[in-house]
Amino acid sequence: MKKLLLLFVVLLSSVSVLAQSEEYSVVVKDIETLLPIENVTVVILKTKQVLMTNEDGKVTFVLSGGSNVEVSEMNYENLTVRWASLKESGFVIYLKNKKENLDEVVVSQENLQKTLQRIVSNSKKKISISHRLKVYVREFFMLDNQYSYYNDGLVNFQFNKNNTTTLLVEQNRSYGLLETDISADLMGYNLNNIMENYSNFKYFEPLLDAKAKKEYDFTVKGHSKNKDYYVMSVTPLDKAKQAVDNFEIIYDPEKKIVLEFTISVTPSNLDKIEEKTGEGDKNITKSFVNVSYRLDGNDYYMLSSNEEIGYTLIGKEKSKNIQVRNSFVTTGFNKQNFTYNESDVFKEKSLFNKKNKILTNYWDISGFTATDEEKAIIASLEFKL
């Protein structure tokens, strides 16, 4: 009888704990303009969950009990908010702009390529410590300007010392958004490849090559809002024969690490690329990459990324307009390796063709909060669950 009573108490306690878990949404705004702030890092200190605000300044998470919340963005003063204060404010956090208003004076025009080489080299060493990231990944595929396919998932990347990754998928879903079959045109990013590109800073290779000075112009300025950071701009020279990408690299000159980089191609630079006309050829129409990193004490890792590639696929009778958008948001960092069976390792390139595995509404607590447009698309999938 006592054992049954004890079991009942344990079960009741478990139910009570689960019942206390609630979903919360926090909105981060500029204290002066009252406008939402995008790409703010929000850390739930109790669970160590890392979240990123969307363009509405919003994050959503599930929590049992309360937790202090740490908020940071390089243009604003960092803030730690107590749970009681957060509830009193209606779960709205106001950040104060640093208002450094620096003159963005050019720091140096000499040996900037060598400066970048040192920054990239040190960043590689810093990030190469074995660790694992829990990442929410999502991908949109567009065919002829229509959203045609969607997938997302909650995955784990195990980083080895040589910056290669092992990928395990916890949950995922993948759905077509059109009645027609587009499987022949479907293309997704290779998840392992792009994560390894982020950790190996592979996108910087054209800038580190000895011939880069003949193709690119390097300049450095102080960050307009943060006196501790520099911004390096690398743009193709007018006489460049191959360079088309524009780079903006935000880095910490003291710690010698990359904090964020953006790569984009302007329409004028796209015009420099010779157009292909053969069947099966691809002509790039858009290319964009943005990656941010987080330094938390001695821990340095990829925080978030957005990539978009657009191209025209030349067909025998008709060409097709294709766009793929991929996003990563890191929701957890851990130095401990996970254990797994070789059969559990995901060896495909993309989640597009992986059988759906849905255990929870992981997308609601993913660290990424969808915009209204994206919510409409994702909501249309609910009847398929």
Side-chain angles (χ1 to χ4, degrees):
M1 185 69 179
K2 287 183 178 179
K3 289 183 178 179
L4 287 174
L5 183 60
L6 179 61
L7 178 60
F8 177 75
V9 170
V10 170
L11 288 173
L12 188 63
S13 299
S14 299
V15 170
S16 177
V17 169
L18 289 172
Q20 290 173 6
S21 293
E22 294 184 43
E23 182 177 291
Y24 299 96
S25 291
V26 171
V27 176
V28 183
K29 295 183 178 183
D30 185 297
I31 196 170
E32 292 186 356
T33 66
L34 302 183
L35 294 174
I37 311 172
E38 188 177 6
N39 293 328
V40 176
T41 301
V42 180
V43 181
I44 312 304
L45 294 178
K46 182 177 181 179
T47 62
K48 301 298 183 184
Q49 186 179 10
V50 182
L51 309 164
M52 294 283 290
T53 60
N54 68 349
E55 64 181 23
D56 300 318
K58 187 177 181 182
V59 296
T60 301
F61 55 95
V62 169
L63 186 66
S64 174
S67 171
N68 293 349
V69 175
E70 183 182 88
V71 186
S72 60
E73 206 281 337
M74 68 175 63
N75 295 314
Y76 292 83
E77 294 181 3
N78 295 346
L79 189 64
T80 299
V81 184
R82 297 178 64 85
W83 187 253
S85 300
L86 195 57
K87 290 174 71 175
E88 287 177 6
S89 68
F91 292 92
V92 178
I93 297 175
Y94 296 94
L95 293 187
K96 185 177 180 182
N97 196 304
K98 287 185 175 177
K99 280 193 171 180
E100 301 283 0
N101 289 326
L102 304 179
D103 292 330
E104 297 191 37
V105 176
V106 174
V107 176
S108 173
Q109 287 280 8
E110 298 178 2
N111 298 319
L112 293 184
Q113 187 189 40
K114 289 184 178 180
T115 298
L116 183 60
Q117 288 171 345
R118 287 193 294 271
I119 297 295
V120 171
S121 176
N122 191 62
S123 297
K124 280 184 182 180
K125 291 176 182 176
K126 187 76 175 172
I127 210 171
S128 66
I129 299 172
S130 182
H131 65 280
R132 63 184 167 99
L133 298 180
K134 187 185 290 290
V135 177
Y136 173 70
V137 55
R138 68 185 179 99
E139 201 159 57
F140 286 96
F141 178 87
M142 296 180 71
L143 179 62
D144 292 331
N145 298 317
Q146 280 189 297
Y147 285 101
S148 308
Y149 218 91
Y150 173 84
N151 78 67
D152 66 11
L154 193 62
V155 305
N156 286 283
F157 287 95
Q158 175 66 51
F159 287 78
N160 306 310
K161 289 184 178 180
N162 57 356
N163 274 350
T164 58
T165 57
T166 300
L167 175 61
L168 280 80
V169 180
E170 288 188 14
Q171 302 187 61
N172 72 287
R173 57 181 180 165
S174 181
Y175 296 111
L177 304 176
L178 301 177
E179 296 297 327
T180 55
D181 182 15
I182 62 163
S183 57
D185 299 307
L186 201 58
M187 185 200 80
Y189 280 89
N190 186 318
L191 300 181
N192 271 315
N193 278 4
I194 58 176
M195 182 57 87
E196 289 173 9
N197 288 344
Y198 299 154
S199 60
N200 288 310
F201 298 86
K202 197 171 182 64
Y203 290 99
F204 291 89
E205 287 184 356
L207 307 182
L208 306 180
D209 188 272
K211 299 178 182 178
K213 289 183 178 180
K214 296 180 180 180
E215 294 280 315
Y216 292 97
D217 178 46
F218 293 74
T219 59
V220 171
K221 297 180 180 180
H223 193 281
S224 61
K225 298 293 183 181
N226 194 317
K227 60 181 176 58
D228 296 325
Y229 302 149
Y230 287 170
V231 181
M232 182 178 291
S233 298
V234 187
T235 55
L237 296 168
D238 291 337
K239 62 180 181 180
K241 295 181 180 180
Q242 296 180 335
V244 295
D245 293 320
N246 291 279
F247 293 77
E248 182 180 86
I249 305 154
I250 301 174
Y251 66 97
D252 187 321
E254 293 296 322
K255 295 183 174 67
K256 295 182 173 57
I257 55 170
V258 175
L259 298 169
E260 182 179 344
F261 71 86
T262 302
I263 308 173
S264 59
V265 182
T266 63
S268 59
N269 284 341
L270 280 175
D271 291 341
K272 295 179 182 179
I273 304 174
E274 184 178 350
E275 187 172 351
K276 301 174 183 177
T277 57
E279 184 180 349
D281 286 340
K282 298 176 182 178
N283 290 311
I284 300 296
T285 56
K286 184 173 185 179
S287 179
F288 175 83
V289 181
N290 175 264
V291 183
S292 63
Y293 299 85
R294 175 173 168 79
L295 180 65
D296 182 12
N298 291 321
D299 300 327
Y300 176 60
Y301 56 91
M302 192 284 302
L303 178 62
S304 67
S305 70
N306 287 286
E307 288 206 32
E308 184 171 352
I309 182 73
Y311 60 89
T312 301
L313 179 64
I314 307 299
K316 187 175 182 180
E317 297 179 358
K318 181 185 176 183
S319 296
K320 298 175 180 178
N321 226 341
I322 291 175
Q323 284 181 275
V324 186
R325 290 196 288 129
N326 176 284
S327 299
F328 282 179
V329 177
T330 294
T331 66
F333 170 90
N334 200 314
K335 289 181 179 179
Q336 294 182 344
N337 293 347
F338 48 58
T339 57
Y340 56 88
N341 297 319
E342 189 62 28
S343 59
D344 295 329
V345 177
F346 183 67
K347 297 180 179 179
E348 299 296 323
K349 294 181 179 179
S350 170
L351 296 178
F352 273 129
N353 296 317
K354 188 178 186 327
K355 184 179 179 180
N356 289 355
K357 181 182 178 181
I358 303 170
L359 305 176
T360 64
N361 288 8
Y362 62 87
W363 50 88
D364 289 334
I365 54 171
S366 62
F368 168 82
T369 306
T371 62
D372 290 340
E373 178 189 19
E374 291 162 341
K375 279 181 180 177
I377 295 170
I378 297 170
S380 69
L381 306 176
E382 290 185 359
F383 73 94
K384 299 182 180 182
L385 298 181

